[in-house]
Amino acid sequence: FLDPTLEKSLLKELETVNALKFQDTSMNMVLKDTAGVEKNLHEFAKQFDYTLITFFDPTCDHCKVELPKMDSIIHILENQLVLKIGKYTVCNDMILQPEVWKSFISTHQLSKNYTHVHLGQNNDLRKAYDAYTNPLFYLINKDGKFVGKKISVNTLKSILVNHLQSNK
């Protein structure tokens, strides 16, 4: 029922998304932060036991609720599981409004173990991570390998506990 061109496009996109398998290495991102400095995802991840990759839009009402919740649960899990979790947070706003972006970070106090970067018009990364909705969370280990894909606040703890137990 789909136009052949659209069908081909959707199948290619699905193939890309399905290629993000657990324990596969995440596609590296080198994006500019709020100060215009390039931040490398894989280099950032090496500093932590795990890194949460978050795609968000600072004008998204759902993001305004979920990001602070995720930050809070990460703080609790770091203490309970004796871990250090980094947050590579990608502003997924196509038309960047720097003052809105920086205000979001400040208002929600998203600063501990964070780097905040902007995706901009990078459609290859957007496709690779299927970052068409907000917020979107992925979890990688210090080697950049996926541990959790499209996770939620509710699933983060079970993913971490299961991963820690399987690596003993």
Side-chain angles (χ1 to χ4, degrees), residues 48-156:
F48 304 96
D49 298 304
Y50 296 94
T51 295
L52 184 74
I53 303 168
T54 302
F55 292 89
F56 80 102
D57 182 333
T59 62
C60 164
D61 289 334
H62 193 58
C63 295
K64 291 174 186 176
V65 172
E66 293 301 313
L67 264 71
K69 255 196 234 180
M70 184 64 88
D71 190 64
S72 178
I73 195 71
I74 285 173
H75 180 69
I76 292 166
L77 291 173
E78 283 178 318
N79 290 330
Q80 283 181 349
L81 303 173
V82 191
L83 295 172
K84 189 173 177 190
I85 301 172
K87 285 119 5 198
Y88 191 88
T89 307
V90 183
C91 180
N92 200 15
D93 183 2
M94 301 267 295
I95 303 167
L96 181 62
Q97 301 170 32
E99 64 283 348
V100 174
W101 183 25
K102 291 175 185 178
S103 174
F104 180 91
I105 295 165
S106 177
T107 300
H108 298 289
Q109 300 174 3
L110 305 175
S111 57
K112 184 180 179 222
N113 296 337
Y114 271 92
T115 193
H116 294 276
V117 295
H118 184 246
L119 186 60
Q121 301 291 327
N122 193 324
N123 285 324
D124 290 337
L125 286 173
R126 189 168 275 111
K127 284 180 187 175
Y129 283 92
D130 194 27
Y132 296 101
T133 60
N134 295 305
L136 182 63
F137 303 101
Y138 290 90
L139 189 66
I140 61 174
N141 65 16
K142 64 176 41 206
D143 297 322
K145 295 191 183 296
F146 285 108
V147 176
K149 178 174 139 181
K150 293 189 174 182
I151 63 175
S152 70
V153 171
N154 297 329
T155 59
L156 180 62

Side-chain angles (χ1 to χ4, degrees), residues 151-165:
I151 63 175
S152 70
V153 171
N154 297 329
T155 59
L156 180 62
K157 182 174 183 174
S158 63
I159 289 170
L160 284 172
V161 168
N162 289 337
H163 192 259
L164 289 168
Q165 288 174 345

